């Protein structure tokens, strides 16, 4: 393609080192779409003839069909997706194909294709997150009054409802959806027409091509147009944060399935056995989701490392952007589908949750709050009194709500029989009526909110 400037061909090793067609063929649909709108614009502006336009559009239609049917032949010798499509178009359209590249460069071409692909990936991520939200919401709706232990430092802290716990993830995933929506909005400017880096002397209509490809507007600076990859970084950042949320949730499933917890049971569809231990039911799907988060984080770091030292405008270093984005997209999308599948048929052991919710004196804070509210104690003093009472309950081997009243009064005479009404896990949960709290009445409000949002 650039033979006029070179006397010799590339070294043999370069034929293995430089081609990108093995991965950028995933941009084929976007490349055809960009070529189609570019050709139409050139014809409207009188830069190419109607005859050439028809030949180009007919050829692109054939290529599109071949791509859909899996009949398009990708050739490594042609280096990238742009040259592969251009070469095939030349076979179909003849000399007219050579006019298609007027007023554009592979630099603005790939930047446009890539933005189109990432924009669609943002939409797919949003949809996958919504499916998982709905699966979590369905489980939450069934467990508004199911009590489980809430943890800090992986120690039993205060009782909460299972619905409240699951809705925390629904909130996280909503923020993840917002990040993808924001990324899609911010990237929705069109580089096409920036040419190699400086624009073009041809009288092109960049508004026409931008709007024709669904962009909000053309990019205002041609240097920025061909070189910017912050849209890919922002997409990867959103993938990274979403993946860490999935990893957190997957880690909980791994714990909840273990005999020490026994909170849930995964179906056979999302567990595997052991080659040597016949009793095992391993939560491999959840473990893989947790493990694959490292890939997504690595993809973000890899691309950030590539672009951190690049000067304007385009450098072939940017060939490294696509594999990182493709890998993160594939990983996130399948992880979302797997997580949604796991929660769709998750079996919950409510009795086991309730039993462990009472372990570790989780209503101690309720006792301290009672001392503040009813006995007028400063909270720090109430905290000290409660700690002493908990220590006595440990010595006697009883739960806090089963500790004899006289034992509590021996520590603090102001304690009355009324305190016993607030020391059960049910009473503790019901008392958490502050906005965003775990009380079933508050959780029902959130269920109603999310039912409307997710319908």
């Amino acid at each position: 393609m650039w033979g006029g400037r070179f006397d010799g061909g590339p070294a043999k090793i370069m034929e293995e080192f430089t081609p990108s067609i093995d991965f950028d063929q995933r941009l084929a649909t976007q490349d055809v779409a960009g070529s189609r709108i570019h050709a139409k614009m050139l014809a409207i502006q009188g830069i190419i003839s109607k005859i050439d336009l028809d030949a180009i559009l007919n050829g692109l239609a054939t290529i599109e069909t071949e791509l859909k049917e899996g009949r398009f032949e990708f050739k490594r010798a042609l280096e990238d997706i742009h040259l592969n499509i251009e070469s095939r178009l030349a076979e179909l359209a003849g000399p007219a194909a050579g006019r298609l590249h007027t007023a554009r460069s592979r630099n603005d071409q790939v930047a446009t294709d890539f933005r189109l692909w990432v924009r669609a990936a943002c939409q797919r991520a949003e949809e996958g997150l919504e499916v998982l939200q709905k699966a979590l919401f369905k489980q939450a709706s069934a467990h508004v009054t199911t009590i489980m232990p809430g943890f800090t430092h992986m120690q039993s802290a205060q009782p909460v409802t299972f619905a409240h716990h699951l809705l925390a993830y629904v909130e996280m995933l909503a923020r993840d959806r917002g990040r993808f929506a924001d990324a899609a909005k911010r990237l929705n400017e069109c580089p096409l027409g920036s040419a190699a880096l400086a624009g073009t002397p041809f009288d092109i209509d960049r508004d026409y091509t931008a709007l024709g490809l669904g962009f909000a507007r053309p990019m205002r600076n041609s240097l920025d147009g061909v070189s910017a990859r912050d849209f890919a970084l922002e997409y990867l950042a959103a993938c990274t944060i979403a993946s860490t949320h999935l990893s957190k949730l997957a880690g909980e499933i791994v714990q909840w399935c273990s005999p020490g917890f026994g909170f849930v049971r995964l179906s056979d569809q999302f567990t595997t056995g052991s080659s040597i231990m016949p009793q095992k039911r391993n939560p491999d799907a959840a473990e893989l989701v947790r493990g694959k988060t490292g890939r997504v984080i690595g993809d973000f770091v890899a691309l950030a490392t590539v672009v951190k030292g690049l000067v304007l405008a385009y450098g072939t270093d940017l060939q490294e952007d696509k594999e990182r984005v493709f890998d993160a997209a594939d990983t996130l999308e399948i992880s979302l589908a797997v997580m949604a599948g796991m929660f769709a048929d998750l079996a919950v052991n409510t009795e086991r949750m309730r039993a462990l919710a009472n372990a570790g004196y989780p209503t101690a804070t309720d006792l301290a709050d009672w001392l503040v509210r009813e006995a007028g104690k400063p909270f720090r003093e109430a905290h000290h009194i409660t700690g002493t009472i908990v220590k006595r309950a440990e010595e006697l081997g009883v739960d806090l709500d089963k500790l004899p009243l006289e034992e509590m009064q021996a520590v603090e005479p102001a304690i009355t029989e009324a305190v016993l009404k607030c020391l059960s896990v049910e009473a503790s949960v019901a008392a958490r009526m502050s906005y965003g709290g775990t009380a079933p009445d508050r959780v029902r409000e959130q269920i109603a909110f999310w039912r409307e949002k997710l319908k």
Side-chain angles (χ1 to χ4, degrees), residues 12-13 82 182 212 269 296 400 421:
K12 188 69 176 176
I13 195 170
H82 319 298
D182 288 345
Q269 297 180 76
V296 179
L400 201 55
K421 295 180 180 178

Side-chain angles (χ1 to χ4, degrees), residues 164 171 432-439 442-443 445-446:
H164 191 59
E171 295 281 349
R432 297 303 190 271
M433 281 293 293
S434 57
Y435 181 78
T438 192
R442 283 303 195 188
V443 173
E445 292 173 358
Q446 294 303 310

Side-chain angles (χ1 to χ4, degrees), residues 45 164 168 234 242 244 256 272 280 317 351 361 374 393:
Q45 296 299 105
H164 191 59
E234 186 169 9
T244 60
W256 293 345
T272 62
K280 295 295 291 297
D317 315 54
E351 293 181 2
Y361 304 98
E374 303 297 332

Side-chain angles (χ1 to χ4, degrees), residues 211-274:
L211 296 177
L213 291 171
F215 290 104
R217 64 190 69 84
M219 295 185 74
R220 284 185 291 270
N221 186 288
S222 60
L223 289 167
D224 187 41
V226 299
S227 63
R229 292 299 184 273
D230 53 340
F231 71 91
L233 279 174
E234 186 169 9
Y235 169 75
L236 288 176
C239 287
T240 296
I241 296 171
S243 294
T244 60
H245 288 156
L246 295 187
S247 181
K248 184 196 297 278
L249 182 55
E252 301 231 57
I253 290 177
V254 173
Q255 289 179 337
W256 293 345
C257 287
S258 68
F261 281 79
F263 288 176
V264 301
R265 180 181 175 88
L266 291 173
S267 72
D268 292 351
Q269 297 180 76
F270 296 99
T271 53
T272 62
S274 165

Side-chain angles (χ1 to χ4, degrees), residues 150-178:
F151 298 93
T152 60
H153 309 282
M154 272 311 297
Q155 303 295 311
S156 183
Q158 293 177 330
V160 297
T161 64
F162 190 44
H164 191 59
H165 193 102
L166 295 180
L167 288 176
Y169 285 100
V170 174
E171 295 281 349
M172 293 180 217
L173 300 179
R175 294 193 295 274
D176 290 329
R177 289 177 63 186

Side-chain angles (χ1 to χ4, degrees), residues 405-438:
L405 180 62
E406 55 268 24
E407 293 286 348
M408 287 188 270
Q409 290 173 331
V411 177
E412 174 50 60
I415 294 176
T416 69
E417 189 175 1
V419 76
L420 300 177
K421 295 180 180 178
C422 72
L423 296 183
S424 70
V425 292
E426 287 80 9
S428 177
V429 166
R432 297 303 190 271
M433 281 293 293
S434 57
Y435 181 78
T438 192

